[in-house]
């Protein structure tokens, strides 16, 4: 979905690390908001919240794990 803006799956770990403000091991709604705006995709907090909610959560942690983040960015199905 956003793969063209972020890059390939090979560099997703680098993006994840950069966007994970506070190095908590997950991408929060606020991290997603700041990251999207940092790459030039003007996004509101509400839009970032909606995008974050589209991720398939595989655990109870509200932050996106590396795998959840990767799946969100590289999902071939339109969830929006």
């Amino acid at each position: 979905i956003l793969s063209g803006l972020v890059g390939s799956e090979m560099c997703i770990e680098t993006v994840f690390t950069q966007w994970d403000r506070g190095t908590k091991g997950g991408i929060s709604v606020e991290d997603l908001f700041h990251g999207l705006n940092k790459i030039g995709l003007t996004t509101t907090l509400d839009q970032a919240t909606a995008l974050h909610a589209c991720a398939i959560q595989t655990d109870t942690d509200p932050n996106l794990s590396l795998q959840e983040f990767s799946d969100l960015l590289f999902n071939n199905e339109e969830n929006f």
Side-chain angles (χ1 to χ4, degrees), residues 19-33:
W19 288 21
D20 178 17
R21 298 173 343 130
T23 60
K24 63 196 157 304
I27 303 293
S28 68
V29 170
E30 292 80 11
D31 295 337
L32 189 60
F33 168 74

Side-chain angles (χ1 to χ4, degrees), residues 6-66:
V6 175
S8 71
E9 288 187 66
M10 293 173 35
C11 72
I12 192 68
E13 193 168 344
T14 301
V15 173
F16 179 85
T17 301
Q18 291 174 352
W19 288 21
D20 178 17
R21 298 173 343 130
T23 60
K24 63 196 157 304
I27 303 293
S28 68
V29 170
E30 292 80 11
D31 295 337
L32 189 60
F33 168 74
H34 289 287
L36 291 170
N37 282 285
K38 184 176 181 177
I39 63 170
L41 191 60
T42 303
T43 307
T44 67
L45 189 54
D46 286 341
Q47 290 169 323
T49 300
L51 179 59
H52 195 278
C54 289
I56 297 171
Q57 293 279 347
T58 59
D59 54 30
T60 58
D61 185 346
N63 298 314
L64 301 179
S65 68
L66 175 59

